[in-house]
Amino acid sequence: MTVVFARVDDRLDEFALRTLDPDADAALLHQWVTHPKAAFWLMQDADLARVAEEYQRIAAHPHHDAYLGLWRGSPAFLAERYDPAHVELVGLYDHQPGDVGMHFLCAPVGTPVHGFTRAVLTTVMAWLFADPTTRRVVVEPDVRNTAVHALNAAVGFEVVGPIAKPEKDALLSVCTRAQFEAAVHSAAVDRAATTRTEGAPA
């Protein structure tokens, strides 16, 4: 299995994405997608065979792929990339050249790590924008998923508006490369300000 992208977070060390093996990774993914915290992934009742079948389908799809995310070398999140002209959003929004669709899911943990989910999302966005042909990232989370709406806004997403999908009412949002870079820069400035030694010159 091949690492396709790696990034070092200034607080949480190394994140990476590797190719996903639908068979070998199925048991791990099954634990993640059926966990109560993954309710918005819409696979709560899936058995192991269905999870394996779903990721075999994605692996075989010409416009959709999935990757296993690593934190400090261990599996910690899932990321999917898709072409919204062919998958998920066909006919539901104003598609533009260079648009890339994205889903991400963090593994359930007993003790949350502060800033972890945002670091994962930042890693996934950096990976997508590492492709020079990517101009915008498009997402369509459930309208009720307020936590991910806040995270999306934090990395530069702008809300387009609600759309009706067969499986959910979604909040369509888009993020350009410039919006993402501005959000990352702003976050870095904020971190520097909060960690500066008290009394040191500004």
Side-chain angles (χ1 to χ4, degrees), residues 126-151:
W127 162 58
L128 295 173
F129 281 122
D131 181 343
T133 67
T134 299
R135 297 179 61 188
R136 296 194 310 178
V137 178
V138 182
V139 293
E140 25 73 38
D142 193 295
V143 293
R144 299 167 297 172
N145 195 348
T146 54
V148 86
H149 301 329
L151 280 166

Side-chain angles (χ1 to χ4, degrees), residues 1 7 19 63 92 108 112 115 127 158 161 196:
M1 290 171 281
R7 162 185 175 268
T19 51
H63 303 291
L92 295 178
W127 162 58
E158 181 178 357
R196 190 169 52 238

Side-chain angles (χ1 to χ4, degrees), residues 9-11 118 183-202:
D9 184 82
D10 58 5
R11 285 198 322 107
R118 181 166 174 171
V184 169
H185 175 72
S186 177
V189 170
D190 288 346
R191 282 194 299 274
T194 57
T195 56
R196 190 169 52 238
T197 303
E198 185 176 353

Side-chain angles (χ1 to χ4, degrees), residues 81-158:
R81 175 180 61 186
Y82 65 88
D83 183 344
H86 299 275
V87 178
E88 296 278 7
L89 292 169
V90 181
L92 295 178
Y93 87 113
D94 181 19
H95 176 267
Q96 296 183 18
D99 281 358
V100 176
M102 177 271 290
H103 299 139
F104 81 100
L105 176 71
C106 290
V109 294
T111 305
V113 175
H114 180 69
F116 181 79
T117 306
R118 181 166 174 171
V120 165
L121 180 55
T122 300
T123 298
V124 173
M125 294 290 286
W127 162 58
L128 295 173
F129 281 122
D131 181 343
T133 67
T134 299
R135 297 179 61 188
R136 296 194 310 178
V137 178
V138 182
V139 293
E140 25 73 38
D142 193 295
V143 293
R144 299 167 297 172
N145 195 348
T146 54
V148 86
H149 301 329
L151 280 166
N152 287 343
V155 299
F157 278 94
E158 181 178 357

